[in-house]
Amino acid sequence: MRASSLSFRLAVLFVIAGMAMGIGMAATQNHAIMPAHAHLNLLGWVSLFLFGIYYERRPTIDSSRLATIQVVLWSLGTVVLTIAVAAIHLGYTAADPVAALASLIVLAAMILFAYFVFRPARDLAPSPTAHLTPAE
């Protein structure tokens, strides 16, 4: 599976989970886990969807194993971080180190994504007519 497809699919699953969290908070009138809800929506829905768009526009990167690893690493970090942030806001301070570790996993995944963004764009072939000038 290409990194873009995986990103889009996981993003949709994350936004469904985020919406369910939001509905649950509204139904119970308990908004204690709102920070976890925000993390899930931003990291899981928005960021993954943007990764998918980027990868889809760069086919060589999209089909690479390293891009898939980046998406999986980001997703695992997001799940663990969301759970840890929820636990912290529910009073379980023992989850602090878990949140810290998950934050470092997400950071590592972003550094890997930055590598793709800043490396030369080898997979973007120039237009075959890019060097031609129009006739007068």
Side-chain angles (χ1 to χ4, degrees):
M1 177 178 295
R2 298 173 78 83
S4 59
S5 295
L6 183 60
S7 290
F8 292 140
R9 290 175 182 188
L10 288 170
V12 169
L13 293 176
F14 280 128
V15 77
I16 291 169
M19 292 172 76
M21 283 175 74
I23 291 167
M25 287 187 296
T28 62
Q29 293 297 304
N30 180 353
H31 296 89
I33 62 169
M34 188 171 48
H37 166 75
H39 276 78
L40 183 60
N41 284 325
L42 181 59
L43 298 176
W45 165 239
V46 177
S47 296
L48 270 174
F49 204 85
L50 291 172
F51 293 154
I53 292 169
Y54 182 85
Y55 287 139
E56 191 174 58
R57 295 186 45 79
R58 284 157 178 79
T60 302
I61 297 171
D62 192 20
S63 61
S64 76
R65 173 179 256 185
L66 198 54
T68 301
I69 290 169
Q70 186 271 329
V71 171
V72 169
L73 192 62
W74 182 272
S75 299
L76 292 174
T78 296
V79 168
V80 175
L81 183 59
T82 299
I83 293 168
V85 168
I88 290 165
H89 286 275
L90 290 172
Y92 299 98
T93 57
D96 278 334
V98 176
L101 179 61
S103 295
L104 293 174
I105 291 169
V106 172
L107 176 62
M110 184 54 81
I111 290 169
L112 184 53
F113 183 71
Y115 163 74
F116 292 129
V117 171
F118 285 99
R119 77 180 197 172
R122 288 174 253 161
D123 61 311
L124 298 178
S127 166
T129 59
H131 65 282
L132 302 177
T133 55
E136 293 182 11

